[in-house]
Amino acid sequence: MVSGRWSWLHLQLLVNGGFSSGVGKLRPAGPSCPAPELWAGEAPPSSPPLSPRSLSAPRHQHSGLLLLGSAAAAGLQAPTALRGMDAIRTLNTLQTNASYLEQVKRERGDPQLQLEAMRGFLERSGLKVEDLDQLNIIHVTGTKGKGSTCAFTERILRNYGLKTGFYSSPHLVQVRERIRINGQPISKELFSKYFWQVYNRLEETKDPGHASMPAYFRFLTIMAFHVFLQEKVDLAVVEVGIGGAYDCTNIIRKPIVCGVSSLGIDHTSILGDTIEKIAWQKGGIFKPGVPAFTVPQPERPLEVLRERARESPCPLYLCPDLDAFEEDDKALQLGLAGEHQRSNATLALQLSRAWLQQQGYQGTGELKPGVELLGKRPVPLAPAFRPSGSMVQGLQDTEWLGRTQVLQHGPVTWFIDGAHTTSSVQACVRWFRQAALNEEKPVDGSEVRVLLFNATGDRDTAALLKLLLPCRFDYAVFCPNITEVSAVGNADQQNFNVTLENMLTRCLESQKKWNRLMEEKVGQDLWLSPPMQVEGVGGLLKPDPLRGSLLFVPSSERPLNSNSLVFPCISHALQWITQGRDPHFQAPATKGLHLHPVAGSGAVLLKEAAAIRVLVTGSLHLVGGVLKLLDQSLSQ
């Protein structure tokens, strides 16, 4: 709930009707943020169920969407574009289908029920688990870097002339990004075709005694398998959603090779509150006789992985550092920036080579002399080899949006990274500080640094924000993971599982934590500004629809000691940060000035600065919303 001085009515202005910038009337608003982490995978029994309120509300608020989906499911014809949007809106109803609570209750007592339920849904869709053996799957899990590892692996194997499938989560801008063929999201036409094919089969095989439809991520996983089989890919790179052992991708029986990227603490309410428990979940993807590779890990979780491999049983190998693959005079070039991408690249090299060898391909890289496969270590070291030309080029050509990405837009430079765990934020800070140093310095020295941040789920926001302090931001901006206050025309990013009220409350809490961290630094660091004297700050500033973006400040017993702001959506945050100076961002027309003193004084500095450096981090969903607004081509 909102704290004492925060009126529920104030936040309800946004929940029930959001102001459109520069327009003097209310228009309906609704949830429009990218899917939360629950969409990324299935939760084992320890995960909390969704509340009945969150499950039922969208059925009233978005009944029109349900009717459209039902019409399409019934076979009514519609233009291709309409059917494509219809498919996405019907897919969104699977976030909140009425049977989901019963599904969670049944599966909570026995984790294996989750996989049995998934197999049942797969068979109802027209496939058996044995059919998945044809996909020659590379199965990858991990806490951080698993998506980047998959991207490297897919790009390497595509360079061998193979037709690749790639299933990942979450999506950044459009849900079609989750299912790729030859590195590209499937077309709107293909998405619509396969969506209705799978959806209608499941509708036709409803059983009153069981869950009638799979939840969002389960459905997309089943759909991806259909796409890859019918499009006849040579292989499929499959990224685990959450965990591994009870993730719905783990119905895969016979992958060609498995990989585990760097482990850390994340999704503690789902996977457990220690790194050992998390490692146990990740090791659940190991299959008998299937080679598995991992990167250097802390001692205890590595021991857990070794035990899981022994139980399977399967061979488990530790990847050497990327240095071992490089010649003395020639470093490998990676398409993804950041020192932490080197461990993802070495894992991708091993996965690619193992897959090629298992399939009988030649030209998989010559072993380097003097490197022993087995050594006196708990997990044997995998051999280093000289990467083939296709491997070298694949690493260099890899693209993976929203991870250590830099966009130069006139005087505004965007540093975009979806880091959302302690270890990944640490890596992000190292990357940002190095990348910002490499940027050309303004002649007059007028550089403004801005942090745009949001965190979701059960993550320790204060711990993440504390790691960002060394970046020395002039301003910290917080906003929910919604591009606009209104959800109109934004079906790809709708989310019915969390209210806007809750999202805004989380942002305000993050701002308070940031202010507290900054207060602790005052007097310790010369670069910090002295405490601001702000008069009349004692609660929520009521929005005026004629005065531009909605802007919130927390109530405070004392003056604010840092330059921090909260906006109700990403668009309004970007509008303030860019001040019309980013040629790629088309901000809505507004009238008047921002109401808060920090916003007013900051606007002047941002307008006059020779360079604006913006770090966007904390959530992949925030990153997706920012990219959607900064690069219109991603929405095409």
Side-chain angles (χ1 to χ4, degrees), residues 259-260 292-297 316-322 324-325 342-351 377 379-384:
V260 182
F293 296 85
T294 189
V295 298
Q297 311 279 8
L316 174 65
Y317 303 109
L318 188 66
C319 297
D321 293 337
L322 194 61
F325 296 86
R342 292 177 65 82
S343 70
N344 300 328
T346 188
L347 179 55
L349 286 170
Q350 295 288 358
L351 294 175
R377 48 176 80 228
V379 177
L381 194 66

Side-chain angles (χ1 to χ4, degrees), residues 11 80 151 463 586 608:
L11 291 178
T80 302
Q586 303 299 321
E608 296 179 349

Side-chain angles (χ1 to χ4, degrees), residues 13 40 300 454 494:
L13 284 172
R300 289 181 297 177
N454 191 37
Q494 282 183 325

Side-chain angles (χ1 to χ4, degrees), residues 120-121 123-126 198-208 210-213:
F121 287 127
E123 290 186 8
R124 281 176 48 200
S125 76
V198 174
Y199 188 90
N200 289 341
R201 283 177 182 170
L202 290 168
E203 278 280 322
E204 293 163 1
T205 56
K206 278 184 177 180
D207 179 353
H210 298 85
S212 60
M213 295 293 282

Side-chain angles (χ1 to χ4, degrees), residues 401-413:
L401 294 183
R403 287 79 169 178
T404 58
Q405 184 178 359
V406 179
L407 297 177
Q408 185 72 56
H409 289 182
V412 186
T413 306

